């Protein structure tokens, strides 16, 4: 059965001491969250080593927000998948819409990154999702299909089983405008159908698909109740431990 996951993408927020306190608070509040829900904190790179130390012995896993397209070398400013592995990170977000928008990441680049992350025994959280004008022009399924097929369909079935997908409609990120539970379910079911066609139903049924975009304690239960929604990738609300844990308790 596929995993339920609630992951907090802190983005470029928190100084180290704040991040330290936030991680501590998440640990201390996590007791009330059903044990079958995987909880992940995803702080900035500078905090990763500390976050791994703080969360050791707790149920909280740690993720990174990105990694390089190469495994080492003269790429000033980049952080590689092997480096993330060396500090014992568990997950890596890839293809977040902010990376696509501000750093020109495309589906082909992401395919390379996913391979590197998997080669280093880390779990990619692959993000996809349409922009507002793409939804308004009814191109949302086409856009997501292209993202999923170009970045994931080159993987083997064995590799695919290790990938987590996050559907994050760009118009819902940081806007306070959440997709309705029906809109989320419709797209999640569509993504699962794509995976079924390519990899078969046994594999597609094992892949966790998270929803992201203005997820809050007040709307999480309705979204998580949908059949193809396996959890959430949380931005703003993950910076407040109580809200993050409140969302995870919505399962
Ligand atoms: P918000 O929850 O702030 O809308 O952000 C979602 C997101 O981008 C998570 O990766």
């Amino acid at each position: 059965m596929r995993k339920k996951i609630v992951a907090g993408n802190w983005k470029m927020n928190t100084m180290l001491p704040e991040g330290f306190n936030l991680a501590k608070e998440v640990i201390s509040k996590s007791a009330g969250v059903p044990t079958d829900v995987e909880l992940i904190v995803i702080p900035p790179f500078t905090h990763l080593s500390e976050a791994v130390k703080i969360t050791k012995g707790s149920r909280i896993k740690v993720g990174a927000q990105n990694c390089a397209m190469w495994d080492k070398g003269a790429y000033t400013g980049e952080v590689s998948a092997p480096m993330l592995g060396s500090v014992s990170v568990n997950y890596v977000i890839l293809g977040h819409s902010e990376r696509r928008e501000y750093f020109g990441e495309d589906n082909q680049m992401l395919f390379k990154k996913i391979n590197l992350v998997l080669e280093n025994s880390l779990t990619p959280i692959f993000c996809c999702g349409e922009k507002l004008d793409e939804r308004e022009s009814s191109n949302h399924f086409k856009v997501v299909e292209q993202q999923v097929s170009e970045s994931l369909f080159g993987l083997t079935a064995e590799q695919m089983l290790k990938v987590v997908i996050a559907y994050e409609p760009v118009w819902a990120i940081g806007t306070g405008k959440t997709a309705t539970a029906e809109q989320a379910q419709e797209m999640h079911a569509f993504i699962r159908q794509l995976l079924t066609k390519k990899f078969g139903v046994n594999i597609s049924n094992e892949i966790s698909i998270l929803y992201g975009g203005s997820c809050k304690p007040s709307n999480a239960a309705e979204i998580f109740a949908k059949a193809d929604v396996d959890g959430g990738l949380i931005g703003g609300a993950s910076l407040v431990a109580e809200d993050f844990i409140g969302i995870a308790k919505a399962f």
Side-chain angles (χ1 to χ4, degrees):
M1 204 42 214
R2 53 188 183 254
K3 233 187 223 175
K4 295 175 185 171
I5 298 173
V6 176
N9 175 10
W10 297 3
K11 307 192 180 181
M12 199 173 72
N13 292 297
T14 73
M15 299 298 125
L16 186 59
E18 272 177 275
F20 183 92
N21 290 336
L22 179 53
K24 284 261 185 209
E25 241 189 295
V26 168
I27 296 167
S28 70
K29 290 187 170 16
S30 63
V33 178
T35 48
D36 61 344
V37 178
E38 176 107 310
L39 290 171
I40 311 169
V41 293
I42 311 181
F45 286 130
T46 45
H47 303 13
L48 288 176
S49 270
E50 276 302 312
V52 168
K53 270 190 233 157
I54 298 165
T55 53
K56 200 169 177 175
S58 82
R59 61 182 286 184
I60 314 292
K61 301 283 191 286
V62 177
Q65 297 175 16
N66 180 34
C67 76
M69 207 168 47
W70 310 274
D71 64 355
K72 64 175 178 179
Y75 302 103
T76 303
E78 290 288 279
V79 174
S80 72
M83 290 170 186
L84 296 174
S86 77
V87 295
S88 304
V89 155
N90 311 104
Y91 290 88
V92 185
I93 295 179
L94 293 175
H96 192 281
S97 63
E98 289 148 17
R99 301 284 328 163
R100 294 176 188 265
E101 173 79 14
Y102 306 129
F103 302 95
E105 297 202 356
D106 62 32
N107 299 332
Q108 287 70 27
M109 255 183 215
L110 292 168
F111 175 65
K112 286 190 197 163
K113 291 189 180 196
I114 292 165
N115 273 283
L116 280 169
V117 164
L118 290 171
E119 274 166 28
N120 286 279
S121 307
L122 306 170
T123 303
I125 301 176
F126 171 74
C127 302
C128 57
E130 79 285 359
K131 296 180 190 164
L132 183 60
D133 61 317
E134 292 163 340
R135 178 161 282 263
E136 284 176 342
S137 58
S138 296
N139 281 317
H140 46 302
F141 292 118
K142 206 170 97 195
V143 168
V144 171
E145 177 166 7
Q146 193 170 0
Q147 291 170 335
V148 167
S149 62
E150 291 184 2
S151 295
L152 300 178
F153 283 9
L155 300 176
T156 63
E158 200 190 339
Q159 284 178 311
M160 189 62 227
L161 271 174
K162 296 179 183 146
V163 176
V164 172
I165 296 177
Y167 167 60
E168 299 203 307
V170 181
W171 47 270
I173 296 179
T175 57
K177 199 175 171 209
T178 322
T180 62
E182 289 69 32
Q183 283 172 323
Q185 168 58 23
E186 186 184 36
M187 185 59 87
H188 283 224
F190 174 73
I191 294 169
R192 205 175 301 285
Q193 230 174 59
L194 294 174
L195 297 174
T196 300
K197 265 193 235 153
K198 176 68 190 172
F199 297 101
V201 69
N202 292 340
I203 296 208
S204 76
N205 271 337
E206 289 300 315
I207 295 170
S208 301
I209 307 178
L210 317 183
Y211 167 79
S214 299
C215 206
K216 303 183 270 277
S218 57
N219 59 28
E222 196 187 347
I223 298 172
F224 293 174
K226 293 293 180 189
D228 288 291
V229 179
D230 306 306
L233 183 54
I234 319 301
S238 73
L239 296 171
V240 178
E242 201 173 307
D243 290 351
F244 180 60
I245 293 297
I247 290 170
K249 283 182 181 164
F251 265 119

